[in-house]
Amino acid sequence: MNFAHRPTLAARWLGRVDYEDGLVFQQRLREGTRSHLLLLEHPHVYTMGVRTDPSHLLVDPASVRATACWTDRGGDITYHGPGQLVGYPIIDVPVGPDSTPSYVHNLESSIIKLLGDYGIDAYTLAEYPGVWVGPTDAPRKIAAIGVKLSRGRSMHGFALNVHTDLGMFDHIIPCGIADKAVTSMEAEGVRASVAQVARAYASRFAEAFCFDDLDYQGVDAVDKVETVSGEQLHGDTSVASRLNQRLVKAGFAFDTAVAYVSRKPEWLRSEVHLGQEYRSLKHLVQDLNLVTVCEEAGCPNIYECWKDGTATFMINGERCTRACGFCLVDTSKPLPLDPTEPRHVAEAVSVLGLNFAVVTAVARDDLSDGGAQAFAETIRQIRELNRGCSIEVLIPDFKGDHGALETVLQARPDVLNHNLETVLRLHRAVRPSANYVRSLTVLARAKDFGLTTKSGLIVGMGESIAELKSVMRDIRSVGVDILTVGQYLRPTRHHLPVSRYYHPDEFRELRDYAMSLGFRYVEASPLARSSYHARQGSDAAAGALA
């Protein structure tokens, strides 16, 4: 099978990802044309392929703190869990009578070469898919393979045991093979982290499938950080210690950080307009007991937007259950929801005469639905009082609760926004309670539901231009229509340091690159924020999609 002269492979080491989120992510990527290799770990889960005999699951998964999931890949039952490298290639595969066996052979060969790099002799067995080690008369399976090829695109892939708990295989008949043992790299005498093996495998896969270029990105930059020294902090002891730990693990260069007291460039200074429009909206917000993210997050565009009579309303209170490293919103214990809030937001939209309303919220992980019902009710109330008004919602990830997300999707906002905020390497440092794949899955599900989708990035938190381009490609790969890119401004000494201030010319270059990827609208400028020029973005996307 000829795989010669392929363009870039986007390989991503994603860390721990829920199985269903990984599946949705794969399904969305398969609809595109780019080549991807997703490398990750799953929480404890038993997955059953299309040929699985249910009797091969020997226990109630809950009894061993696992879940079970039927899936559309080939093969029988297998186990995924911590310490195991799972690889999901989403690439074009030439269609032909031998497509599947040839593809599987290439996959097996790439794993065998990887294991050889670690000094492990491995081989295949003609009668069984997968990769094996040990004597051929008593083989031990070290990697399982189960794939799906459809319309010339691949899904699913392999599971390589690195330092897996092999006892979890005792609760199934692995791959339906009762008389063969299972092993791991660790059991074969090799000690390595899953992250290290993932990075090494990405190169082997790119070589096996003839990719000319490898775009590899991964969570964090080092495997483990015991302590953060004063030298690493470069004297900035004001940043919270946990945040420091995450930043060092992500490879943040403290010696290049902008001093908190440094003077901002001229292009980052916004004008103050305390005119009648600003004062009127301020009084209206106070009279209706509403909260705006404009005030709570210290948005630099508040005077411009309020002068134009527009605001982004923040529902579900003003206290967030998360502590993102860049955000100024209060993180003290949340108060009970105000049941009148959705109506008051609708009344404010009516008084202002808005034809485009933006609604966001703090994260409310303390609520059973994460605050999803309040989003849906606010959408309904705005439409009841303001016929013809378009609505954009900027939502949290609801901790991956698909039912909560479905509640918002069923209310059918005109634009669904969920921000990824930063690049993969920095994600754990910047958004410790979030997950890169979970966020992309939120956007993928919204797109599959038929909604216009939007996401945003903040720059100046330690990322590179190459990483920014990679995250833009990831966002676009799940079908997102609108993108915002703005400069990070450190709210206090206790928040993330600023790595640097981007020049307006760099924002123009980022916008041009994003537009070349197929986004319908891109707002990229030093003071751009999620809801800045939201109506223009919605109109542009609607026009492009019409």
Side-chain angles (χ1 to χ4, degrees):
M1 183 175 291
N2 183 16
F3 289 103
H5 304 298
R6 289 168 168 260
T8 302
L9 171 70
R12 302 288 183 261
W13 162 239
L14 300 166
R16 191 75 55 83
V17 176
D18 286 341
Y19 185 80
E20 288 192 20
D21 283 345
L23 182 58
V24 171
F25 191 28
Q26 288 184 77
Q27 290 168 336
R28 187 68 209 177
L29 294 179
R30 193 181 60 170
E31 297 302 313
T33 59
R34 294 186 176 91
S35 299
H36 306 267
L37 174 62
L38 309 182
L39 300 167
L40 46 90
E41 292 178 289
H42 286 308
H44 301 292
V45 59
Y46 293 110
T47 66
M48 282 79 75
V50 294
R51 294 189 296 275
T52 295
D53 180 342
S55 67
H56 291 169
L57 178 59
L58 307 177
V59 300
D60 176 3
S63 69
V64 292
R65 294 181 298 174
T67 57
C69 182
W70 285 91
T71 186
D72 59 351
R73 61 164 172 78
D76 206 293
I77 189 170
T78 194
Y79 162 76
H80 297 313
Q84 182 189 74
L85 175 63
V86 179
Y88 295 134
I90 300 96
I91 65 172
D92 291 334
V93 177
V95 177
D98 64 341
S99 292
T100 299
S102 295
Y103 172 69
V104 169
H105 173 73
N106 262 35
L107 206 54
E108 291 169 334
S109 296
S110 66
I111 297 170
I112 289 171
K113 289 181 179 179
L114 170 77
L115 292 171
D117 295 337
Y118 284 93
I120 298 175
D121 292 328
Y123 54 87
T124 60
L125 294 177
E127 62 270 36
Y128 300 115
V131 176
W132 305 77
V133 300
T136 55
D137 59 347
R140 301 183 295 274
K141 193 168 194 176
I142 196 169
I145 291 180
V147 304
K148 177 181 179 180
L149 300 183
S150 176
R151 302 189 305 277
R153 293 278 279 176
S154 65
M155 263 188 63
H156 303 293
F158 69 88
L160 171 63
N161 300 324
V162 180
H163 53 83
T164 319
D165 178 2
L166 298 178
M168 296 299 288
F169 288 97
D170 294 339
H171 309 304
I172 60 174
I173 299 177
C175 302
I177 306 171
D179 61 342
K180 300 289 189 296
V182 176
T183 190
S184 68
M185 293 175 64
E186 183 178 59
E188 299 301 317
V190 173
R191 298 192 65 181
S193 71
V194 181
Q196 290 168 337
V197 176
R199 179 180 287 274
Y201 179 72
S203 297
R204 280 300 187 184
F205 181 91
E207 174 189 338
F209 288 92
C210 303
F211 283 95
D212 296 330
D213 183 46
L214 174 62
D215 168 25
Y216 180 88
Q217 305 292 337
V219 292
D220 297 334
V222 295
D223 288 338
K224 189 175 183 180
V225 175
E226 298 292 344
T227 60
V228 179
S229 68
E231 182 181 356
Q232 286 169 311
L233 294 179
H234 296 277
D236 192 355
T237 58
S238 61
V239 183
S241 60
R242 287 184 181 177
L243 178 55
N244 284 335
Q245 296 287 341
R246 299 196 304 266
L247 286 171
V248 171
K249 191 170 183 180
F252 185 89
F254 284 90
D255 56 342
T256 63
V258 177
Y260 178 67
V261 295
S262 66
R263 186 174 177 83
K264 295 182 179 66
E266 188 68 33
W267 61 80
L268 284 172
R269 299 172 198 167
S270 56
E271 296 183 15
V272 175
H273 301 281
L274 299 178
Q276 181 60 41
E277 298 89 348
Y278 175 88
R279 291 194 296 271
S280 296
L281 201 153
K282 178 89 172 175
H283 290 315
L284 177 63
V285 167
Q286 292 173 339
D287 291 345
L288 293 175
N289 195 30
L290 296 175
V291 179
T292 69
V293 74
C294 318
E295 297 173 293
E296 293 300 310
C299 180
N301 302 312
I302 185 171
Y303 305 108
E304 177 187 348
C305 293
W306 283 27
K307 180 177 182 293
D308 291 337
T310 62
T312 298
F313 300 100
M314 189 164 74
I315 62 172
N316 294 340
E318 57 191 38
R319 299 179 180 179
C320 187
T321 54
R322 300 187 184 181
C324 296
F326 58 88
C327 187
L328 186 60
V329 173
D330 186 1
T331 56
S332 55
K333 184 178 180 179
L335 299 173
L337 296 185
D338 176 2
T340 68
E341 188 175 58
R343 189 68 175 184
H344 285 165
V345 170
E347 290 170 352
V349 171
S350 181
V351 171
L352 289 169
L354 301 182
N355 57 18
F356 193 91
V358 182
V359 179
T360 186
V362 292
R364 291 297 302 265
D365 295 332
D366 59 314
L367 302 174
S368 60
D369 70 344
Q373 186 57 47
F375 267 109
E377 182 60 24
T378 302
I379 293 169
R380 283 191 286 269
Q381 292 283 356
I382 291 174
R383 287 196 171 132
E384 182 178 310
L385 290 185
N386 305 271
R387 297 191 181 280
C389 178
S390 297
I391 303 168
E392 176 180 313
V393 293
L394 172 56
I395 64 170
D397 62 17
F398 303 118
K399 295 182 70 174
D401 185 330
H402 301 160
L405 177 59
E406 185 73 13
T407 296
V408 179
L409 299 182
Q410 290 291 346
R412 300 203 70 87
D414 297 277
V415 178
L416 187 134
N417 187 357
H418 177 71
N419 287 335
L420 212 62
E421 307 291 9
T422 191
V423 301
L424 178 56
R425 175 175 56 85
L426 294 169
H427 217 260
R428 286 175 175 168
V430 174
R431 304 176 70 206
S433 298
N435 180 281
Y436 191 83
V437 173
R438 183 192 297 163
S439 288
L440 288 171
T441 300
V442 166
L443 295 162
R445 290 181 184 276
K447 191 62 186 176
D448 288 342
F449 198 79
L451 300 182
T452 297
T453 51
K454 178 178 177 179
S455 192
L457 298 170
I458 309 170
V459 301
M461 295 192 290
E463 72 291 326
S464 68
I465 294 293
E467 288 177 313
L468 279 174
K469 290 181 177 180
S470 291
V471 70
M472 287 178 182
R473 289 194 292 271
D474 289 350
I475 293 171
R476 182 58 193 150
S477 290
V478 295
V480 171
D481 304 295
I482 304 168
L483 180 69
T484 61
V485 186
Q487 173 69 51
Y488 169 56
L489 301 175
R490 191 179 189 184
T492 74
R493 291 180 182 271
H494 302 288
H495 288 80
L496 286 160
V498 176
S499 63
R500 73 181 183 92
Y501 295 121
Y502 282 61
H503 190 273
D505 288 346
E506 292 179 289
F507 280 102
R508 283 189 284 272
E509 291 171 5
L510 289 171
R511 180 190 180 280
D512 290 344
Y513 180 77
M515 290 298 292
S516 75
L517 296 176
F519 287 101
R520 311 300 182 185
Y521 182 86
V522 178
E523 184 69 44
S525 64
L527 296 180
R529 294 298 181 265
S530 294
S531 55
Y532 188 55
H533 292 166
R535 179 183 54 77
Q536 292 93 319
S538 176
D539 289 347
L545 296 171

